[in-house]
Amino acid sequence: VQLQASGGGLVQPGGSLRLSCAGSGFTLADYAVGWFRQAPGKEREGVSCVGIRDGRTYYADSVKGRFAIFREHSKNTMYLQMSRLKPEDTAVYYCAVDPRPYYSGNYYLHYGDMQYWGKGTQVTVSS
């Protein structure tokens, strides 16, 4: 299982950015998926996750209404569409997947207990 994240960069406050995470060696549609982030000096936090158990999408309160997670199965790729970005969204963003069917997205969002992680991509929101 390999994950390759891309799409990070510098964006002005209020702007948009789409992160991509291409998977190889497995079928993304069969896995739980998630995006996480870690800001300088802070612990890693869940941004958005979808578990196999219920198939529902969960978002951190700080990004609800601004971010959206989705998958393109034909490309075995997941995305994080980020809109109305704020300086506090600045962080290294990581994608992750997990094959276990037992957990909901809410579990992953809070515990980050995913088996496979991609390398991070830096997002900087600044004027």
Side-chain angles (χ1 to χ4, degrees):
V1 174
Q2 291 190 336
L3 298 168
Q4 181 64 50
S6 61
L10 174 65
V11 61
Q12 292 187 344
S16 299
L17 206 59
R18 178 180 291 185
L19 305 183
S20 301
C21 180
S24 59
F26 70 105
T27 300
L28 189 65
D30 297 335
Y31 280 55
V33 297
W35 286 95
F36 299 81
R37 67 186 181 185
Q38 187 166 20
K42 294 187 177 181
E43 293 187 355
R44 186 184 66 197
E45 64 173 348
V47 175
S48 181
C49 299
V50 186
I52 297 173
R53 179 177 177 178
D54 59 3
R56 289 178 57 187
T57 303
Y58 292 83
Y59 294 95
D61 288 342
S62 59
V63 306
K64 280 181 182 176
R66 301 188 298 120
F67 289 14
I69 186 174
F70 60 100
R71 284 178 267 197
E72 190 169 358
H73 295 157
S74 63
K75 294 185 178 181
N76 216 45
T77 299
M78 57 189 280
Y79 303 90
L80 184 68
Q81 178 66 46
M82 305 184 292
S83 304
R84 289 183 282 143
L85 283 159
K86 304 175 182 180
E88 50 264 43
D89 294 318
T90 295
V92 177
Y93 284 71
Y94 300 88
C95 58
V97 299
D98 190 273
R100 295 170 294 178
Y102 319 115
Y103 306 115
S104 70
N106 195 41
Y107 168 81
Y108 293 117
L109 193 70
H110 287 88
Y111 297 107
D113 182 23
M114 290 199 150
Q115 290 194 351
Y116 303 101
W117 293 78
K119 293 182 180 179
T121 184
Q122 176 71 47
V123 173
T124 302
V125 184
S126 175
S127 55

